[in-house]
Amino acid sequence: MDDRPEPQPHGGALYRQHHDDFSLSGPMYWVTPRYLAGDDESLADQVDAALSSAGWRMWPTARDTLLYTSPNGLCGAEWTRAACSFELGDLPVAWQISARSHPGSGLPEWNAYFTAGIPHEALTDFLLALAARTEPAFSFGSPEIVLAAVCAQGWVRDIDRPHIAALAPGLSAGISLEEVPPLVRDADPRPGRFGWQAWAEPSVGDPYLWCATFSGSTPHDLVAIFAASLASPHPVQRSSLPAGVEGQLTVIHPGAQRQRKARGPE
């Protein structure tokens, strides 16, 4: 996954979110860690580019959302930012991803939800892995492969819940197997189902930077691909960064070997 070239910015904005991000000024810069890098205000564009390259079809809906379907009719992705159905961690859901066992199925087997602010590299890696699956509703592997994916890249298991949770260095992000929120939909209607949840919280007590939730039937191997991309130490390109990450990101300037910690406006 990380052997391929890093994703490049996609032109032609589908959606631009204006807020108090601080600019890096000038050209694009490489930053790390990825899970605190934000979406560079291009989450819709980057996902659109990835899905279009994979042959997914898109059309607008009556709810002012954008609905994408895979060539085999088994997978769907909907940009819901304009008509958000619910929130995760006080953040509106921006993308809802789903998969069916066969095209004629009335209900998806599983759903995954992502807020704005999530690094688009992790979401597009998840979607491209989903697009490559011939059986997107079937799970391979156990929950352990999700934790192994992040721990192999420097995250550590939660000392109190080592078999279901892991945390990023500095406790600034995490992933855990939890009881899913009430509005998360899954083909298995039983209450109390557990699904993967991930989040970034630059400092303890700060507002969440982004959140993601996977319903209980989401394949563990697909979640592991998302988690591995999220925890990847490979730098990503950004021109702006979210508020609250000052001092926690390393910025690599183009054309130079020196590094510095990202800082806010003077």
Side-chain angles (χ1 to χ4, degrees):
M1 176 176 57
D2 283 318
D3 292 333
R4 62 180 174 79
E6 295 294 334
Q8 300 297 312
H10 177 61
L14 292 175
Y15 173 78
R16 299 289 290 182
Q17 182 181 10
H18 300 284
H19 45 69
D20 294 330
D21 289 2
F22 63 85
S23 175
L24 292 174
S25 302
M28 302 288 285
Y29 294 89
W30 294 97
V31 302
T32 186
R34 180 177 300 187
Y35 50 83
L36 292 179
D39 61 11
D40 210 23
E41 300 182 3
S42 64
L43 186 61
D45 298 332
Q46 294 287 352
V47 173
D48 171 73
L51 294 179
S52 296
S53 69
W56 291 41
R57 297 178 58 192
M58 182 276 286
W59 60 89
T61 73
R63 298 186 301 116
D64 294 324
T65 68
L66 299 177
L67 179 62
Y68 297 74
T69 58
S70 62
N72 61 11
L74 296 178
C75 307
E78 188 171 13
W79 172 252
T80 63
R81 190 66 177 85
C84 175
S85 57
F86 68 100
E87 297 182 339
L88 298 174
D90 294 327
L91 297 171
V93 169
W95 282 100
Q96 179 177 342
I97 315 301
S98 61
R100 291 172 166 79
S101 56
H102 54 88
S105 176
L107 294 174
E109 293 294 318
W110 57 264
N111 287 274
Y113 308 82
F114 305 86
T115 71
I118 196 166
H120 53 76
E121 295 84 359
L123 182 49
T124 54
D125 281 339
F126 174 79
L127 281 164
L128 291 176
L130 174 62
R133 291 277 290 268
T134 56
E135 298 182 10
F138 186 78
S139 184
F140 297 90
S142 68
E144 174 60 25
I145 65 175
V146 177
L147 300 180
V150 294
C151 291
Q153 303 191 81
W155 290 33
V156 296
R157 294 174 187 267
D158 188 316
I159 192 171
D160 296 320
R161 304 183 300 164
H163 301 298
I164 61 171
L167 299 167
L171 310 182
S172 52
I175 189 165
S176 61
L177 197 57
E178 310 277 357
E179 186 172 343
V180 297
L183 293 178
V184 171
R185 293 180 290 175
D186 192 270
D188 187 336
R190 291 176 296 174
R193 290 294 307 280
F194 278 58
W196 289 102
Q197 299 188 50
W199 67 93
E201 185 182 21
S203 297
V204 177
D206 282 356
Y208 289 110
L209 180 60
W210 56 263
C211 295
T213 292
F214 303 84
S215 73
S217 298
T218 309
H220 297 300
D221 57 305
L222 286 177
V223 180
I225 290 171
F226 165 80
S229 180
L230 191 66
S232 171
H234 289 204
V236 292
Q237 283 192 312
R238 294 292 185 270
S239 62
S240 63
L241 297 173
V245 299
E246 296 89 335
Q248 299 191 59
L249 280 175
T250 296
V251 177
I252 306 171
H253 292 256
Q257 297 301 315
R258 63 190 179 91
Q259 299 181 356
R260 68 172 174 87
K261 292 293 184 180
R263 294 179 296 180
E266 300 294 337

